[in-house]
Amino acid sequence: MSTRAPRRKREPRRPGRPRAEEANLRERLLDAAVACFAADGVAATSQRSIALKAGVTPALVNYYFGSKQELLDTFVAERMTPAVALLRENLLAAGTEPRALLAAFVHGIHDVVARFPWWPALWVREVLGEKGALREVLRKQIAPQVAPLVAGALAAAQKRGEVSADLDPRLLFVSLVGLTMFPLAAEPIWRGVFAADDLDRGALLRHTLALLDHGLGGAHAR
């Protein structure tokens, strides 16, 4: 008489994709949406164009994200917000000394663009443009995480005599954005105008830091 234990019955495979595959496909679709937003603008991007970019059917885009507005909200929450969180972490770690803070901002912007290369193009298309889809998002959700932090620290440093009294801390923050985001967004243009292929991102970063360092003034100006 056999004493072999009876075989365990194999459970049937549940319908649908495995969770890991679903997560990967969702990320791929979101990456495709970001690429389309940066290249063509939010308004011109359709679910069909995202699907073509990702190599899937439009029905899958709708399945994972629903409406275009839901997709845009997901992009803000899962792509823009982490980018700004990275910049904010750099600023908080720098402290309140003005030169260290400004250097942290410049390094932070370069770090963000290195990790999220779509940021400058999207900034030009969807933030600077009067009808940009992300203009209000940046004004109400993104900028408040960074702008008051920098402007407040610079105002306090100005009272201590570490920043020139001729500078307005609020406008200094605006200048910071211009000195970092604009050169990165316009990089293909100025490289062609000046035949500046010999300048890498490190040279651009050092140039920006030098401009800021000599422009602060105050008691510790060099």
Side-chain angles (χ1 to χ4, degrees):
M1 183 173 172
S2 173
T3 58
R4 184 186 300 174
R7 274 187 193 173
R8 295 182 63 183
K9 193 173 181 180
R10 181 182 295 177
E11 290 186 15
R13 182 181 179 276
R14 294 183 181 180
R17 294 184 183 82
R19 287 184 178 179
E21 186 180 335
E22 284 198 354
N24 289 338
L25 180 54
R26 184 181 182 278
E27 287 298 299
R28 183 153 61 93
L29 287 170
L30 192 52
D31 287 340
V34 172
C36 290
F37 289 161
D40 305 318
V42 172
T45 295
S46 64
Q47 290 185 329
R48 180 174 296 277
S49 61
I50 295 168
L52 284 172
K53 184 77 173 175
V56 300
T57 64
L60 272 175
V61 181
N62 184 69
Y63 171 77
Y64 281 102
F65 299 106
S67 69
K68 185 174 176 179
Q69 184 58 52
E70 290 176 86
L71 174 58
L72 191 60
D73 292 342
T74 301
F75 161 70
V76 171
E78 298 184 18
R79 291 292 191 271
M80 287 189 75
T81 300
V84 177
L86 180 65
L87 175 60
R88 183 177 169 82
E89 286 172 11
N90 280 6
L91 295 173
L92 290 172
T96 58
E97 197 279 321
R99 281 177 171 76
L101 185 67
L102 297 189
F105 185 90
V106 176
H107 280 282
I109 290 291
H110 276 255
D111 289 346
V112 164
V113 172
R115 281 186 59 179
F116 308 96
W118 44 263
W119 189 271
L122 210 63
W123 177 71
V124 171
R125 283 184 176 276
E126 305 299 340
V127 175
L128 294 187
E130 187 176 347
K131 296 182 180 179
L134 299 172
R135 198 173 201 184
E136 287 303 295
V137 170
L138 186 129
R139 188 173 71 84
K140 294 179 179 179
Q141 298 181 39
I142 303 300
Q145 299 182 52
V146 176
L149 173 65
V150 175
L154 292 173
Q158 191 176 54
K159 289 180 180 179
R160 298 193 301 267
E162 298 171 356
V163 173
S164 171
D166 295 331
L167 299 174
D168 187 301
R170 296 163 297 181
L171 293 179
L172 185 50
F173 178 79
V174 176
S175 298
L176 271 176
V177 175
L179 286 170
T180 50
M181 288 299 293
F182 177 76
L184 289 166
E187 190 171 0
I189 299 173
W190 59 258
R191 284 193 184 282
V193 169
F194 297 109
D197 287 338
D198 59 312
L199 297 176
D200 60 11
R201 288 276 178 88
L204 177 59
L205 187 147
R206 291 189 296 274
H207 170 80
T208 305
L209 290 175
L211 274 176
L212 289 168
D213 190 48
H214 292 290
L216 275 179
H220 301 293
R222 295 186 209 177

